[in-house]
Amino acid sequence: MAKKRISQQTQNINQQLKQKTSQINEKGVFLYNEPLTISEFAKALHHPVTDIIKYFMKQGKLFNQNQILTQELMLELCLEWNIDFEKAKVVTYENLLENINLEDDKKNLVTRPAVVTIMGHVDHGKTTLLDTIRNSKVTNQEHGGITQHIGAYQIKTNNKLITFIDTPGHEAFTEMRSRGSKITDIVVLVVAGDDGVMPQTREAIDHAKVAGVSIIVFVNKMDKPNVNTDRIMNELANCDLTSEEWGGDTIFVYGSALKNQGIDELLEAILVIAELKELNANPNRFANGTVIESHHDKNVGSICTLLIQGGTLKVTDIVVAGSVKGKIKRLINDTGKIITKAGPSMPVQVLGFETAPTPGESFIVFNDDKLARKVALVRQTEETNKIRNNRQISLGNLTQDVATGELKQINVILRADTQGSVQAIVQAVNKINVNDITVKFIRATIGGISESDIKLAQTSRSIIYGFNVRPNHVIREAANNAGVEIRLHNIIYKITEELELAAKGLLEPTYEDKIIGQARVIKTFHFSKVGTIAGCVVINGFIQRNSKVHIIRDNVVIYNGEISGLKHEKNDLKIAKKETQCGITIKNFNDLKENDIIESYLVEEVETK
Ligand code: GDP
């Protein structure tokens, strides 16, 4: 039985990997991706070949049945014959963890617990609320379990389970989202009754909305004397969260995390929303889910917390998370108990990954060691390439995407000095009218650019505009690391002009050198065939083969050139990371000396000044 299940899973994955993408699916929708010949296309759409040939003949195009149809021509035919079409999701080894279709037959689905994240402004009581809920309702309390902080926990109320992600704060939440994984079903937005809606409250709302997650408002600190619930309802209504008492559809619960008041009502509200959302999963298959936390322990190796989203995870399962493979050695639940399996919505700590996977990565159980190894390997290579090609979110890049027709909307986050500027810019930009390209403000508020803006820009692929505001070096660096472009202006007209050009796909990019790393020459070796090889150690960033280099001697650039070889011992490297030793050769340059600095850089597009 088990064997059959294993071979079925492998078969299913292999099938999806091989699946032809351009075909008609079971709903009658034509999925397009790779071009087909006229005869293949006709067969897929159950149409006579001659019809297609005749159709083109009328336009003066003489095609035979072996003619390959471009995507445009296929779509033209679909429109002509009134057939729905959709871009196909291609499953490859690189995107398998995210793109594989694990959709389960409806008859195999059972209800699963809701997964809840608590968000809100600092000091409004998120941690206290998480602790209070946990202390009063921990599932295994009766077993005398010890509280283990593993990044998430489950409680039982009214005989139903609820999973809480135990990492309050928007960073963790958006971090996960920016990796494309969706783990939360419901956000509990904590608002202190004596304080009201604050900047991070608004940020939390923005993030939850982008993620399409249901929000329940918990008005906390109701035990304090100076609470004003009307004011809070009013402020939240201005953020599109209108309470049910006021005719809206957002559940508001009032209480005190500190005094354990309103907690039962909050849990009740979560169960109501969970029921409405009909959350379910199939427990009877190999597991998949998301990495919540992970770290390396020098005694036991990598320890990580997984949230199971479908299927059941068991000891000895072979699993890949991100680019890391593992074989589950031990499962530990949130009360520190060793368990043998974990089902949907359950957080579980596991031992057995070869290295610590990155939180936010998806994982899948494979039970085919070869396949798992291949997926992990392909993804490792891809990660290395990504460091190289890290595609920036820049207006220039978006312009290109507009020009190629890949993008129909340019997302913008705006920070300005005054409310008046915000309004003026939004109005001016909204007047931009270019074919069917729109400019959308994901967020437009007053104040300085924050790290949360950068995270939001990353998840929503937005350009950040600062109007009469200046980001400090911490923010600049964060934006740089995240590959998000910040554009600064003090004339409204400049913003509209730029965005209009971008919407037309006409913004011209400019380029600048981006330093990616430096290596110090330790020793030099001279060979008549290859010239000088510099034995180096990478002192910061990384050195990349085929990148350009500055050779720096005593703080002066003495040569500009290109790397022609990068090796570690006898092996060719694509990248030499920080602290590794490597041998570097420079094209047409042999005058390297000890203590020279080899600075590797890429030429990248930058904001037009
Ligand atoms: P977080 O930053 O949102 O995680 O907030 P904390 O949970 O750390 O709480 C911030 C402060 O508010 C702490 O001093 C808590 O004791 C206090 N606090 C939290 N909830 C309540 C409450 O319901 N009533 C009162 N009076 N204080 C609270």
Side-chain angles (χ1 to χ4, degrees):
M1 181 67 191
K3 255 199 180 139
K4 190 171 164 214
R5 218 161 61 113
I6 291 169
S7 72
Q8 255 177 9
Q9 191 225 24
T10 309
Q11 226 177 16
N12 177 15
I13 292 176
N14 281 329
Q15 238 171 24
Q16 290 193 39
L17 275 166
K18 280 192 208 131
Q19 206 157 50
K20 254 189 138 9
T21 49
S22 295
Q23 60 177 351
I24 228 154
N25 73 4
E26 66 282 1
K27 290 182 200 139
V29 177
F30 178 66
L31 302 175
Y32 68 93
N33 209 297
E34 49 185 15
L36 299 180
T37 63
I38 288 189
S39 79
E40 285 168 333
F41 180 79
K43 203 166 154 203
L45 266 68
H46 312 295
H47 245 286
V49 174
T50 46
D51 274 12
I52 302 177
I53 294 178
K54 271 189 213 152
Y55 172 83
F56 286 118
M57 211 184 274
K58 275 190 206 147
Q59 303 178 359
K61 293 177 188 152
L62 295 180
F63 287 167
N64 67 27
Q65 62 170 359
N66 298 324
Q67 172 75 37
I68 291 174
L69 293 174
T70 59
Q71 283 184 14
E72 289 71 36
L73 288 179
M74 293 199 289
L75 299 189
E76 187 183 325
L77 288 169
C78 288
L79 282 172
E80 175 74 15
W81 293 328
N82 242 339
I83 294 166
D84 282 343
F85 50 82
E86 226 172 72
K87 186 144 186 140
K89 221 172 165 184
V90 193
V91 179
T92 62
Y93 286 104
E94 284 86 352
N95 68 21
L96 193 143
L97 297 188
E98 294 79 23
N99 275 13
I100 194 91
N101 182 0
L102 293 168
E103 234 172 67
D104 296 286
D105 221 320
K106 270 214 176 95
K107 65 177 191 298
N108 296 327
L109 296 178
V110 297
T111 306
R112 65 165 176 86
V115 179
V116 180
T117 305
I118 295 189
M119 297 174 87
H121 195 69
V122 63
D123 275 349
H124 279 199
K126 299 178 292 290
T127 317
T128 313
L129 182 61
L130 274 162
D131 287 347
T132 304
I133 294 173
R134 180 172 184 136
N135 293 338
S136 54
K137 303 277 175 182
V138 163
T139 32
N140 283 6
Q141 229 170 18
E142 59 271 31
H143 302 300
I146 334 145
T147 321
Q148 276 254 116
H149 280 274
I150 64 167
Y153 64 79
Q154 269 191 328
I155 58 128
K156 200 176 223 174
T157 183
N158 284 347
N159 260 330
K160 290 194 177 107
L161 290 167
I162 303 173
T163 304
F164 285 90
I165 304 292
D166 196 0
T167 42
H170 313 168
E171 304 306 319
F173 182 76
T174 343
E175 191 73 48
M176 306 242 167
R177 276 229 348 111
S178 62
R179 295 176 167 280
S181 49
K182 190 179 162 190
I183 56 165
T184 305
D185 302 306
I186 298 167
V187 161
V188 170
L189 182 69
V190 177
V191 186
D194 60 341
D195 201 15
V197 170
M198 298 301 280
Q200 284 169 306
T201 320
R202 286 200 194 90
E203 280 171 19
I205 298 171
D206 290 341
H207 284 307
K209 281 193 181 151
V210 171
V213 173
S214 314
I215 300 177
I216 296 174
V217 174
F218 184 72
V219 183
N220 191 29
K221 306 199 184 183
M222 290 297 288
D223 56 306
K224 285 195 146 182
N226 47 343
V227 291
N228 181 347
T229 50
D230 269 0
R231 196 188 88 204
I232 289 175
M233 285 206 272
N234 193 17
E235 287 172 351
L236 284 167
N238 285 335
C239 304
D240 272 346
L241 289 178
T242 309
S243 74
E244 288 177 317
E245 297 129 280
W246 282 15
D249 55 8
T250 308
I251 302 185
F252 278 49
V253 179
Y254 302 85
S256 161
L258 194 68
K259 301 263 162 79
N260 200 348
Q261 288 159 6
I263 306 299
D264 285 333
E265 289 82 349
L266 176 63
L267 299 178
E268 193 52 45
I270 292 173
L271 291 180
V272 168
I273 300 279
E275 201 164 323
L276 279 175
K277 288 179 89 108
E278 293 184 18
L279 305 168
N280 48 33
N282 173 9
N284 293 314
R285 63 161 166 83
F286 294 113
N288 75 298
T290 303
V291 179
I292 302 279
E293 267 189 18
S294 82
H295 66 274
H296 186 82
D297 179 285
K298 62 179 189 305
N299 297 320
V300 292
S302 81
I303 303 180
C304 86
T305 301
L306 303 178
L307 176 74
I308 316 292
Q309 291 173 285
T312 296
L313 185 69
K314 294 182 181 148
V315 175
T316 75
D317 275 350
I318 292 165
V319 41
V320 177
S323 58
V324 184
K325 192 176 146 279
K327 183 167 184 175
I328 305 294
K329 281 195 234 155
R330 184 178 286 182
L331 296 173
I332 305 152
N333 75 4
D334 55 351
T335 60
K337 255 181 67 176
I338 293 179
I339 52 176
T340 54
K341 57 182 183 180
S345 294
M346 187 165 168
V348 65
Q349 203 174 53
V350 306
L351 302 186
F353 276 103
E354 286 166 5
T355 58
T358 315
E361 295 274 20
S362 307
F363 78 85
I364 292 191
V365 169
F366 278 96
N367 275 69
D368 177 338
D369 195 53
K370 253 193 6 259
L371 189 58
R373 197 183 304 263
K374 167 114 195 211
V375 171
L377 195 73
V378 168
R379 289 178 67 105
Q380 274 162 24
T381 318
E382 201 209 0
E383 264 176 20
T384 323
N385 288 343
K386 242 195 216 148
I387 307 180
R388 218 166 29 158
N389 304 331
N390 199 358
R391 195 152 185 264
Q392 308 275 317
I393 306 170
S394 67
L395 199 56
N397 273 336
L398 297 188
T399 306
Q400 275 173 16
D401 293 349
V402 167
T404 57
E406 263 176 60
L407 195 74
K408 294 271 175 239
Q409 176 174 302
I410 297 175
N411 289 344
V412 174
I413 291 175
L414 171 71
R415 286 285 195 169
D417 53 344
T418 63
Q419 193 57 37
S421 312
V422 173
Q423 276 167 357
I425 294 167
V426 171
Q427 267 174 17
V429 169
N430 282 341
K431 282 195 196 130
I432 297 178
N433 182 2
V434 179
N435 299 332
D436 48 353
I437 310 292
T438 49
V439 176
K440 182 174 178 201
F441 284 95
I442 298 294
R443 174 188 288 167
T445 43
I446 57 171
I449 296 165
S450 69
E451 289 203 43
S452 143
D453 290 332
I454 294 166
K455 288 268 160 63
L456 187 63
Q458 224 180 353
T459 46
S460 56
R461 284 190 70 75
S462 303
I463 299 295
I464 301 179
Y465 270 99
F467 186 79
N468 280 338
V469 297
R470 295 272 136 197
N472 61 24
H473 74 280
V474 178
I475 296 296
R476 280 180 199 271
E477 202 172 302
N480 212 359
N481 290 340
V484 168
E485 183 181 22
I486 297 179
R487 289 182 163 243
L488 302 171
H489 286 292
N490 46 22
I491 304 170
I492 295 180
Y493 162 73
K494 286 279 172 203
I495 299 181
T496 48
E497 183 185 56
E498 243 172 48
L499 285 171
E500 185 156 357
L501 279 175
K504 287 177 179 160
L506 291 176
L507 194 77
E508 292 289 337
T510 53
Y511 297 92
E512 196 176 87
D513 299 349
K514 186 182 170 205
I515 314 293
I516 53 177
Q518 292 182 321
R520 182 187 301 283
V521 179
I522 308 289
K523 211 168 167 41
T524 54
F525 307 90
H526 305 281
F527 297 93
S528 56
K529 275 188 190 151
V530 282
T532 303
I533 298 180
C536 301
V537 60
V538 182
I539 52 176
N540 59 54
F542 59 93
I543 304 292
Q544 180 178 313
R545 189 157 46 126
N546 301 336
S547 69
K548 296 192 175 267
V549 286
H550 300 130
I551 310 294
I552 303 169
R553 188 171 297 160
D554 299 328
N555 298 319
V556 177
V557 177
I558 57 156
Y559 186 74
N560 271 321
E562 247 171 78
I563 292 182
S564 56
L566 180 64
K567 280 183 192 268
H568 176 69
E569 289 166 359
K570 290 217 166 98
N571 303 320
D572 278 320
L573 294 180
K574 280 187 179 152
I575 276 171
K577 291 188 186 159
K578 191 175 168 182
E579 283 164 18
T580 53
Q581 298 196 351
C582 55
I584 301 178
T585 46
I586 309 292
K587 206 171 182 176
N588 303 328
F589 185 76
N590 292 313
D591 180 31
L592 285 159
K593 294 206 162 53
E594 277 174 31
N595 284 323
D596 281 353
I597 301 292
I598 299 178
E599 187 171 72
S600 170
Y601 69 95
L602 302 173
V603 180
E604 280 195 350
E605 187 192 312
V606 287
E607 94 180 54
T608 5
K609 297 276 173 0

